[in-house]
Amino acid sequence: MNITSREQQPTNSVDNAKSAVNPDVTGLSGILSNAAACINALGNGYESIAGKLTQLQDRLTHGRFHLAVLGQFKRGKSTLLNALLGEEVLPTSVVPLTAIPTFIRNGERLSARVQFQNGQDQQWAQVETSDQLREFLTEYVTEEGNPNNEREVTQVEVFYPSPLLNQGVVLIDTPGIGSTFRHNTEATLNFLPQCDAALFLVSADPPITEVEVKFLRQVRSKVSRLFFILNKVDYLDNRDRRAALNFLRTVLTEQANLPADASIFCVSARQGVASQVEGNDALWETSGMAELERHLVKFLVDEKAAALREALGRKAADALAEAAMRLRLALRSLEMPLHDLQQRLAKLETKIREARRQRETTGDMLAGDRRRMHEFLEQTSEQLREKASEYLRGIVQETLARNGQAGEDEVKNALAEAIPGYFEHQVGQTTELFTKRTAETLKPHQQRADELIESVRKTAAELFNVPYHAPDSARAFEMVHRPYWVKHKWASSLIPIPSGLVDRSLPASIQRKRIRKRLLEQVDNLVVANVENLRWATFQSIDQTFSQFASTLDRRLAETVDATHGAIHAAMERRQSHSDAIASEVAQIGTATMELEQLRADLNSAIAGSRAGDTHERA
Ligand SMILES: Nc1nc2c(ncn2[C@@H]2O[C@H](COP(=O)(O)OP(=O)(O)OP(=O)(O)O)[C@@H](O)[C@H]2O)c(=O)[nH]1
Ligand SMILES: [Mg+2]
């Protein structure tokens, strides 16, 4: 094992603000890197925005999609990741263990990098075997090796060659919530905004707890794409497994407001690891891991690139807008007489309190609209069931009538031919209907949300006499579509009807009647299955759109408050403590403001360009 010593990273100083922008780099990624360098050079108060931009740029370059495993302590999160990787890379234990979020990325050879709180040091390990890697990680990511995070680690990255990680997906092992190590819960809650999707893990034994339900609600407000996993099913026989699954489903539906048919994967991560180590394919299937892996691969192929680009573009635009507003407010706050500044700040604080009260009212109205949208979906599905049943039953009757001798095979072929086209058409109509209806429903909310955020920005802008940018509604709200269901394979095959002894002894006409009856019953089952697929996918789209809308609103409001109140407050503190340094700071901010404005304009045209089909930098 080769562990390098801590390396010093170059630091940015205020002096290089003018040279931070490199005119030679272009495209979305170049703009992000210039914007990060420019903001980074501003130093105090801007570190988080600069850090955000650097991370976004990095993720764009590598097409990195953050898929985290979340859950209560000891549910088997690290074991599940080991099963997916095919080796015991991450430390696991019977006591609460993982303490630091661990990012597992694709790499040509096994290695790990640890970053520390001072942001300047890092430690690398190049290793030969997964055992060595696990030993190294134990020193940094576990309660055992790094109690209370006394080593002041912020992040650990593991580089590992794996086909699952090939396409830029980053799997993230997170500390379990709810253990006596409260800092582990905090580490995971702080990490949630970085998740693009998550596997929410509970175990069959013990069953889901109140702590987990509360955590799930928090997760749902931050992560819109979730997969549920019931782990440790090897403890249970088939009957108990069904009971555990039913219990989980009831809790998810009644207490976490999830749809009754949300997909839940039953797995034994422990058997999954064993099957990988032994190369036992049959055990990989029976452990449930094979099905989970297939589902994940499909999700990543279908949705990763779009989801990532959408997330990164929006996050970058928000970060730049926030920085621009902050700079202008800081400038005014530094120039204004102190007494005046105090009075204006007090007025802004009153406005912020009012906006927070209004946000609560919007939340209640959104919940009502989401419920009504679900009811409308139920009605639409019921109508579609009736319509589809009538249509497909018609095909059965017609095929049988066309030829008195037509049997099961002819009917089967006729249905297999008709079903995909029929349901594809219904998908198109349903998508159109719900996209339109969701847009109509959310439009007034969007207007109110814009007004709310605008009112805070406007108050700050007016009080401090700076121009303000109205929020960009089109970018803030986008309907969530789930492309996978459009590519769904429709259920269209009939189960062969066994002709029993009784049937064979009956006259031919009665035999045909019985076959027709059974065919019609099966048609009804096919209708139920297909309509159900469509209903469930639409349900998810609605739910995700509403959740995303609410969490976007919260994020925008919090960022607005931070960008206005935070900047003014910081400037006031500087006025009170270092009045002699203010003149040079004012000049510096003036230059940075101009640079940033140019970068914002560049970014907006780059996003517009990529939307219009410019796929040069596609993640
Ligand atoms: N029987 C059984 N045990 C499992 C399974 N998955 C994990 N375990 C065991 O559960 C214990 C906890 O597993 P970990 O993977 O460390 O759990 P974790 O969720 O990462 O725990 P924290 O990092 O503390 O949050 C270990 O003893 C595992 O061997 C499983 O599918 N079946
Ligand atoms: Mg763990």
Side-chain angles (χ1 to χ4, degrees):
M1 186 184 323
N2 169 20
I3 299 175
T4 59
S5 59
R6 292 182 173 208
E7 294 163 6
Q8 285 294 321
Q9 296 292 301
T11 52
N12 282 298
S13 80
V14 173
D15 295 340
N16 59 16
K18 283 174 198 141
S19 60
V21 171
N22 176 356
D24 297 334
V25 291
T26 52
L28 189 54
S29 155
I31 297 163
L32 290 184
S33 100
N34 270 333
C38 177
I39 292 170
N40 211 5
L42 290 166
N44 256 353
Y46 292 85
E47 300 89 343
S48 72
I49 303 179
K52 220 191 258 181
L53 287 167
T54 311
Q55 279 175 8
L56 295 178
Q57 185 214 355
D58 203 38
R59 284 176 61 191
L60 179 72
T61 310
H62 298 102
R64 277 209 299 279
F65 186 77
H66 285 172
L67 177 60
V69 185
L70 302 171
Q72 199 168 354
F73 67 103
K74 298 282 63 84
R75 294 312 190 235
K77 297 179 292 300
S78 306
T79 309
L80 182 92
L81 283 170
N82 284 341
L84 286 171
L85 294 172
E87 273 190 298
E88 291 188 64
V89 174
L90 299 163
T92 62
S93 166
V94 288
V95 294
L97 198 72
T98 311
I100 307 287
T102 308
F103 293 64
I104 306 150
R105 295 163 48 176
N106 197 34
E108 278 175 20
R109 49 171 305 181
L110 294 186
S111 55
R113 174 168 61 185
V114 181
Q115 286 174 9
F116 298 91
Q117 268 164 21
N118 64 14
Q120 291 172 10
D121 299 339
Q122 47 182 258
Q123 186 141 2
W124 274 97
Q126 304 280 352
V127 295
E128 298 301 324
T129 66
S130 55
D131 287 346
Q132 288 174 339
L133 188 53
R134 199 172 60 248
E135 266 169 45
F136 174 78
L137 291 175
T138 303
E139 293 302 307
Y140 293 97
V141 305
T142 69
E143 259 327 309
E144 193 186 311
N146 180 15
N148 251 319
N149 193 15
E150 63 186 16
R151 292 174 184 254
E152 301 190 333
V153 173
T154 47
Q155 181 173 308
V156 175
E157 285 157 291
V158 171
F159 298 86
Y160 187 88
S162 159
L164 190 61
L165 305 172
N166 237 341
Q167 302 304 317
V169 66
V170 180
L171 294 172
I172 301 143
D173 192 16
T174 61
I177 55 110
S179 80
T180 47
F181 300 122
R182 294 269 295 276
H183 54 278
N184 287 353
T185 304
E186 273 161 35
T188 293
L189 291 178
N190 289 338
F191 166 75
L192 288 183
Q194 289 189 54
C195 290
D196 298 320
L199 308 179
F200 193 92
L201 198 76
V202 295
S203 74
D205 187 21
I208 187 166
T209 62
E210 205 178 330
V211 173
E212 284 170 302
V213 173
K214 195 168 153 233
F215 177 52
L216 174 58
R217 289 199 199 108
Q218 284 170 298
V219 171
R220 287 192 86 202
S221 70
K222 296 267 180 344
V223 188
S224 61
R225 291 154 205 251
L226 282 182
F227 303 93
F228 292 93
I229 293 164
L230 179 63
N231 188 29
K232 305 198 186 183
V233 295
D234 52 295
Y235 279 137
L236 312 174
D237 60 22
N238 279 346
R239 201 175 56 112
D240 287 349
R241 194 180 286 201
R242 270 197 303 279
L245 188 60
N246 284 341
F247 177 73
L248 174 60
R249 199 176 283 290
T250 308
V251 173
L252 291 182
T253 319
E254 291 179 2
Q255 295 181 37
N257 231 357
L258 278 146
D261 46 4
S263 18
I264 302 171
F265 295 89
C266 291
V267 305
S268 165
R270 181 182 276 179
Q271 286 176 352
V273 173
S275 71
Q276 293 272 45
V277 173
E278 295 161 16
N280 181 342
D281 291 348
L283 185 59
W284 180 245
E285 280 294 336
T286 51
S287 71
M289 289 299 304
E291 195 192 337
L292 174 63
E293 187 186 47
R294 279 194 291 270
H295 195 86
L296 284 180
V297 168
K298 182 168 171 15
F299 165 76
L300 292 171
V301 168
D302 287 354
E303 294 192 51
K304 193 205 91 177
L308 183 66
R309 217 171 157 79
E310 178 197 320
L312 297 185
R314 199 173 320 139
K315 282 171 190 169
D318 283 346
L320 286 194
E322 185 189 338
M325 182 98 184
R326 208 179 262 218
L327 276 179
R328 287 207 202 84
L329 286 171
L331 198 58
R332 289 289 297 144
S333 308
L334 288 171
E335 288 171 339
M336 188 178 278
L338 190 58
H339 177 67
D340 215 4
L341 176 61
Q342 280 163 338
Q343 275 187 345
R344 290 175 201 221
L345 187 57
K347 282 188 187 155
L348 179 63
E349 281 166 355
T350 309
K351 180 75 212 170
I352 290 170
R353 277 196 296 278
E354 192 189 310
R356 287 191 171 128
R357 274 198 303 276
Q358 279 182 30
R359 163 66 186 104
E360 281 170 25
T361 319
T362 304
D364 296 342
M365 290 192 295
L366 267 176
D369 275 340
R370 187 198 294 228
R371 222 180 20 252
R372 276 184 285 281
M373 197 67 128
H374 286 161
E375 284 163 12
F376 178 61
L377 173 62
E378 294 313 319
Q379 289 163 15
T380 311
S381 307
E382 184 51 40
Q383 284 163 6
L384 179 58
R385 265 190 291 272
E386 283 169 21
K387 214 164 76 175
S389 178
E390 196 182 315
Y391 173 70
L392 297 179
R393 279 169 162 258
I395 290 179
V396 174
Q397 308 275 24
E398 246 175 54
T399 315
L400 292 175
R402 211 178 312 128
N403 172 356
Q405 299 307 311
E408 216 184 312
D409 281 348
E410 282 88 339
V411 174
K412 202 170 155 180
N413 292 341
L415 284 176
E417 211 169 286
I419 282 178
Y422 180 77
F423 281 102
E424 284 304 327
H425 177 70
Q426 297 305 332
V427 162
Q429 293 210 322
T430 311
T431 308
E432 201 179 315
L433 177 66
F434 278 87
T435 304
K436 200 161 154 241
R437 196 148 174 140
T438 310
E440 276 165 10
T441 307
L442 286 179
K443 200 169 168 203
H445 291 294
Q446 179 69 51
Q447 274 165 358
R448 264 192 300 276
D450 283 349
E451 280 161 21
L452 188 64
I453 286 167
E454 218 175 309
S455 73
V456 174
R457 287 184 178 267
K458 214 170 183 173
T459 305
E462 277 170 10
L463 281 171
F464 290 84
N465 201 17
V466 299
Y468 83 99
H469 291 274
D472 183 347
S473 318
R475 206 179 322 143
F477 162 62
E478 275 164 24
M479 171 78 185
V480 177
H481 286 296
R482 300 189 59 82
Y484 77 85
W485 61 283
V486 178
K487 296 184 190 123
H488 182 82
K489 210 165 171 303
W490 301 103
S492 60
S493 47
L494 300 174
I495 306 161
I497 300 169
S499 61
L501 261 183
V502 181
D503 285 314
R504 285 199 293 270
S505 62
L506 292 169
S509 65
I510 300 189
Q511 269 189 44
R512 274 205 298 280
K513 244 189 210 159
R514 286 172 73 101
I515 287 178
R516 169 185 306 208
K517 186 166 169 274
R518 286 185 226 170
L519 282 171
L520 292 177
E521 276 166 11
Q522 287 207 36
V523 160
D524 285 344
N525 291 341
L526 287 181
V527 166
V528 168
N530 285 320
V531 173
E532 187 46 26
N533 270 323
L534 201 154
R535 188 199 72 83
W536 162 233
T538 312
F539 193 106
Q540 281 196 308
S541 294
I542 294 170
D543 245 31
Q544 284 192 12
T545 305
F546 273 79
S547 303
Q548 208 157 299
F549 181 86
S551 58
T552 305
L553 170 55
D554 284 337
R555 179 176 47 76
R556 287 171 66 213
L557 185 58
E559 283 177 1
T560 299
V561 170
D562 203 27
T564 52
H565 183 262
I568 298 160
H569 197 256
M572 189 154 93
E573 280 185 349
R574 278 202 296 287
R575 292 281 301 275
Q576 284 164 339
S577 54
H578 319 280
S579 46
D580 48 337
I582 286 175
S584 73
E585 199 170 340
V586 165
Q588 182 116 44
I589 293 179
T591 312
T593 309
M594 273 161 45
E595 284 180 350
L596 205 64
E597 281 309 331
Q598 184 56 49
L599 287 167
R600 279 188 68 200
D602 293 349
L603 175 65
N604 284 332
S605 41
I607 294 173
S610 71
R611 281 202 180 139
D614 170 10
T615 52
H616 282 322
E617 281 189 300
R618 266 199 103 72

